[in-house]
Amino acid sequence: MALFFAPRPLLRLALAWAAAAGLALVVGSPMAHGAQAASVDELRLAPFANAPVWKDQNLVTPAAIVDDRGRKVQLAKPPQRIVSLLPSLTESTCALGLCDRLVGVDRYSDWPASVKKLPVVGGGLDPSVESVVALKPDVVLLSDASKAAERLQALGLKVVALDVKSKADIHRVLGTLGQLLGVPQAQGADRVWRDLESGIDAVVRDLPERTRHTRVYFEVSRGPYAAGPQSFIGETLTQLGVDNVVPAELGPFPRLSPEFLLRAQPDVIMLGNRSMQAATSYPGWNNLQAVKAGRVCVFSDEESYAIVRPGPRMAQAAALMARCLADKAPGKPAVAR
């Protein structure tokens, strides 16, 4: 699963990677006047608040799907016991209305809050196979970068590996999960996607005009690794009407030299707490115009995962980045922290 950065296998697992890396990506400022989109708190719950609570008789016969390893998988009936080893798949399962059928998760799955009560079976890349088997799942959802897929399958478990790199992949995976789990499309994947799109549209509509074409650098992890235009984060920035200083030809999440930032001179810098600690030691950091002008958004833990996890909370991610732009885009005095 090349979710994040090909040179580092751990970073290829978007959600597990994000939590493992301790990313903290949330803006701490209130929404500026003139950018009154749906609140972050509202968007946080949006994919889950409208989720049906399914009974077996309301579900449909699961369809055969082909996962991202090219393996055909079909369940005989809607699953009663699901183990998810990837936070984005955990969130997507809950958004589709089957949160109550999760019986185990990886250590990084933490949303919605109810999943924190579930048995934890280790990391997404290297879970405890014995712990997974002990839960007797009808299906195991994981990344195709997971080392456990083949072993779990050899032990007789149904295993589905899914890969997400782009916003289009999020749409596809929601549909695939819905088919696999027997969730009616109209009340499942279509509903979640419609809520996601309408949430992002609302955020875009309410952004101040002065934020358009702001030149943005989004650092996903120390390295520095940045979000390019082809990443799902970069695609959200494009929807917000800003310009990404990372060239598309460098790929979704390229590793850059600190000197790149000096040459690019972005208007606004977005990064996480740990990334911030590293960034202050980059050569020439204090000479960046965005740093001098206070146009840096340092995100914190809880909401970071909404940004770096390619799943149903992308409207919240858009709201967080929009809040940063409304606060920090040139033409408005920086808010003191």
Side-chain angles (χ1 to χ4, degrees), residues 83-309:
V83 169
S84 173
L85 302 180
L86 190 64
S88 59
L89 297 180
T90 301
E91 295 185 13
S92 294
T93 299
C94 288
L96 290 170
L98 294 179
C99 215
D100 62 337
R101 303 193 182 206
L102 286 167
V103 295
V105 292
D106 67 289
R107 70 170 62 97
Y108 307 117
S109 288
D110 59 2
W111 195 266
S114 61
V115 306
K116 296 179 181 179
K117 301 175 183 178
L118 295 172
V120 174
V121 296
L125 289 176
D126 54 351
S128 165
V129 170
E130 293 77 12
S131 297
V132 174
V133 172
L135 293 172
K136 300 180 180 179
D138 299 317
V139 64
V140 180
L141 309 175
L142 42 65
S143 157
D144 67 0
S146 177
K147 302 172 183 177
E150 297 300 327
R151 187 175 173 196
L152 289 169
Q153 192 163 299
L155 291 170
L157 297 183
K158 296 279 190 179
V159 176
V160 174
L162 296 169
D163 184 12
V164 182
K165 301 183 185 73
S166 66
K167 188 178 172 185
D169 284 334
I170 297 171
H171 193 187
R172 173 182 61 82
V173 165
L174 283 168
T176 299
L177 272 181
Q179 291 178 313
L180 172 78
L181 303 177
V183 178
Q185 183 170 323
Q187 295 81 29
D190 287 354
R191 171 188 55 80
V192 175
W193 187 253
R194 185 173 59 249
D195 288 349
L196 185 157
E197 290 275 75
S198 62
I200 293 176
D201 288 345
V203 170
V204 172
R205 283 195 304 271
D206 289 318
L207 263 176
E209 181 64 26
R210 61 178 172 75
T211 65
R212 293 191 62 81
H213 297 299
T214 298
R215 299 177 67 255
V216 174
Y217 170 80
F218 193 111
E219 184 164 308
V220 184
S221 177
R222 65 180 75 189
Y225 289 93
Q230 298 169 340
S231 68
F232 57 89
I233 297 172
E235 289 174 328
T236 301
L237 289 171
T238 297
Q239 286 184 277
L240 294 174
V242 301
D243 298 330
N244 196 323
V245 300
V246 178
E249 58 266 25
L250 295 184
F253 293 96
R255 183 171 188 172
L256 306 171
S257 68
E259 289 76 16
F260 171 89
L261 202 52
L262 279 173
R263 293 194 302 270
Q265 287 292 339
D267 299 320
V268 172
I269 296 172
M270 301 183 187
L271 36 69
N273 282 344
R274 293 194 180 188
S275 197
M276 180 66 182
Q277 295 165 11
T280 55
S281 65
Y282 293 163
W285 172 259
N286 291 324
N287 293 325
L288 290 167
Q289 292 303 314
V291 173
K292 290 180 178 179
R295 297 195 299 267
V296 179
C297 290
V298 180
F299 299 133
S300 63
D301 255 4
E302 180 187 352
E303 293 167 329
S304 70
Y305 307 128
I307 298 177
V308 301
R309 292 175 180 176

